[in-house]
Amino acid sequence: MKPFTKKVVLENGREFYGYGFGADREAIHEIVFNTAMVGYQEIISDSAYADQIVVMSYPLIGNYGLADEDYESKTPMIGGMIVRDYNDIPSNFRSTRTLHEVLEEQGIPAISGIDTRMLTRIIRDEGSQKAIITAADMPKAEAMRKLQAYALPHDTVAGISCKKRWFSRTPNHRFDVVAIDCGMKYSIIRCLNQRGCNVTVVPFNATLEEIMAFRPDGIFVSGGPGDPRDVKEVIARVGELRGRLPIFGIGLGHQIISLAYGARVDKLKSGHRGCNHPVRNLINGRINITAQSHGYAVEESSLEGTGLTLTHVDVLDNTVEGVESVADRVFSVQFHPENTAGQQESAELFDKFIKMMEE
């Protein structure tokens, strides 16, 4: 058996030894798990995982490589990755590079050979916590000292949002949508383009005047990482824009819209991350299997008196998954209807946004 080269040390003191791939460097971040069986490329490039080490509960990762067309952002956003078995010889005619090559180039450390089933259970039972990926010979006491000294960031959106506005146009467009970038995914832009929308992506701190200068037909608030209460600029923008234009939010955007209406948001114990979360639509009674990537949730009890109506709930834990203000033409969902690596059962929500702009 070849000697271990890396290890993961959790904030609770547990150690897991394995073999490093990706960048040969140390990293400290919050550790979370994802239950998806496919879509690791979309996960590493999803800004919702910025500053997070992701444990992939599905055992085999890397087997279909990475394709240039499948990124959700220009560069991978993930803080680190932990897998059971890593395959560095992908079998896929679309593959252009291996996961190791991309992570190495982007300075993102990863580790394989870990008992990810046990690690996932620890996070599920004890909650997300800080973790360090480091050399196998790092003394445990030193690793724990580094973990205790590390403070989780509260400005992640500011670091990943675009710095200047940019455009995504489509032929014979019908509507102009301004998307507030808290961590925009390319698949969302494609969904809007396919429905005849020109999309203007603006930074998270764009002013009301800058947004309205594009004469939009609707506003989209993107998903993204971190605590929504830290993104005060976007909360203020939604408060100024509500009732003036149709507004659609997804993920972090859903939480921001709820905060703008006066609801409260709390951190979940271990979060929802994966492509297998059942959500009940309270309007038509349907249950959809959804993709999710969030660590915070809106308090249902805090919706009373805000003007928001509950539209979707998680079947497993009854957390809020969607809200709407019919009067203001504002709605949002916690899950990802645009999901390209999993279920797309809720894609009609984009059609709902289009209908609002038509009206």
Side-chain angles (χ1 to χ4, degrees):
M1 181 177 176
K2 61 181 181 179
F4 296 119
T5 60
K6 296 286 182 179
K7 71 176 178 179
V8 178
V9 183
L10 303 183
E11 195 174 4
N12 65 6
R14 297 290 295 272
E15 293 180 297
F16 295 82
Y17 288 83
Y19 306 97
F21 66 100
D24 184 17
R25 57 177 288 269
E26 188 174 275
I28 303 176
H29 298 289
E30 178 186 25
I31 189 169
V32 300
F33 66 85
N34 188 293
T35 58
M37 293 188 289
V38 295
Y40 54 79
Q41 179 172 354
E42 288 81 358
I43 289 168
I44 69 168
S45 57
D46 183 349
S47 64
Y49 296 102
D51 294 323
Q52 291 182 333
I53 295 171
V54 179
V55 180
M56 298 300 296
S57 65
Y58 186 74
L60 181 60
I61 301 297
N63 52 307
Y64 57 84
L66 279 74
D68 294 337
E69 301 86 2
D70 293 348
Y71 288 99
E72 290 287 6
S73 59
K74 187 178 294 185
T75 57
M77 298 280 187
I78 198 172
M81 179 171 272
I82 300 173
V83 306
R84 173 59 180 162
D85 295 312
Y86 170 64
N87 185 327
D88 203 40
I89 309 175
S91 176
N92 177 8
F93 75 97
R94 296 179 65 241
S95 174
T96 57
R97 305 180 73 185
T98 67
L99 178 60
H100 162 70
E101 290 169 339
V102 171
L103 294 182
E104 182 180 43
E105 183 178 90
Q106 297 299 325
I108 300 170
I111 183 170
S112 66
I114 301 293
D115 185 348
T116 52
R117 191 174 184 179
M118 178 184 289
L119 191 50
T120 296
R121 287 181 171 180
I122 290 172
I123 300 169
R124 181 197 66 186
D125 295 340
E126 299 181 18
S128 58
Q129 54 192 287
K130 291 182 284 186
I132 182 172
I133 296 177
T134 188
D137 58 0
M138 163 75 72
K140 180 179 176 180
E142 176 67 9
M144 294 299 294
R145 185 193 66 78
K146 291 185 177 184
L147 284 170
Q148 291 166 6
Y150 179 77
L152 294 174
H154 286 274
D155 59 350
T156 312
V157 169
I160 64 170
S161 178
C162 61
K163 302 302 183 267
K164 297 287 184 180
R165 59 99 179 97
W166 58 279
F167 305 103
S168 179
R169 296 189 171 96
T170 188
N172 304 314
H173 85 285
R174 301 169 57 207
F175 303 104
D176 291 288
V177 173
V178 168
I180 302 176
D181 182 11
C182 302
M184 179 61 68
K185 294 170 68 174
Y186 288 163
S187 55
I188 290 174
I189 296 175
R190 287 192 289 268
C191 285
L192 291 169
N193 286 160
Q194 289 165 5
R195 289 164 173 80
C197 298
N198 277 351
V199 181
T200 302
V201 183
V202 299
F204 80 104
N205 56 357
T207 65
L208 177 64
E209 293 72 23
E210 289 170 337
I211 291 172
M212 295 304 293
F214 296 106
R215 301 179 65 184
D217 299 299
I219 304 295
F220 180 84
V221 188
S222 84
D227 188 336
R229 293 166 293 196
D230 294 333
V231 199
K232 295 179 173 58
E233 297 89 343
V234 188
I235 297 171
R237 276 317 75 72
V238 172
E240 295 168 338
L241 287 163
R242 73 184 204 186
R244 300 177 64 169
L245 293 165
I247 302 177
F248 179 24
I250 289 175
L252 184 72
H254 157 75
Q255 299 160 13
I256 288 171
I257 286 172
S258 299
L259 288 169
Y261 274 82
R264 294 188 300 273
V265 172
D266 282 333
K267 186 173 175 62
L268 295 171
K269 185 177 180 180
S270 59
H272 297 169
R273 297 173 179 89
C275 297
N276 47 12
H277 290 269
V279 169
R280 186 187 304 277
N281 184 326
L282 299 180
I283 298 172
N284 58 25
R286 232 171 70 190
I287 294 178
N288 287 345
I289 304 301
T290 68
Q292 303 193 12
S293 57
H294 63 99
Y296 292 81
V298 176
E299 285 185 35
E300 182 178 351
S301 61
S302 71
L303 293 175
E304 187 175 350
T306 62
L308 293 174
T309 302
L310 182 66
T311 60
H312 297 76
V313 295
D314 191 293
V315 173
L316 300 179
D317 61 9
N318 292 316
T319 52
V320 174
E321 291 285 346
V323 296
E324 181 176 19
S325 170
V326 175
D328 290 343
R329 294 171 299 176
V330 174
F331 73 106
S332 62
V333 291
Q334 184 64 77
F335 52 92
H336 294 276
E338 84 291 348
N339 188 43
T340 52
Q343 298 84 353
Q344 298 178 12
E345 298 180 359
S346 303
E348 73 272 5
L349 290 169
F350 288 97
D351 300 323
K352 177 176 179 177
F353 185 44
I354 299 299
K355 186 177 180 182
M356 282 184 172
M357 291 189 287
E358 286 176 344
E359 294 172 349

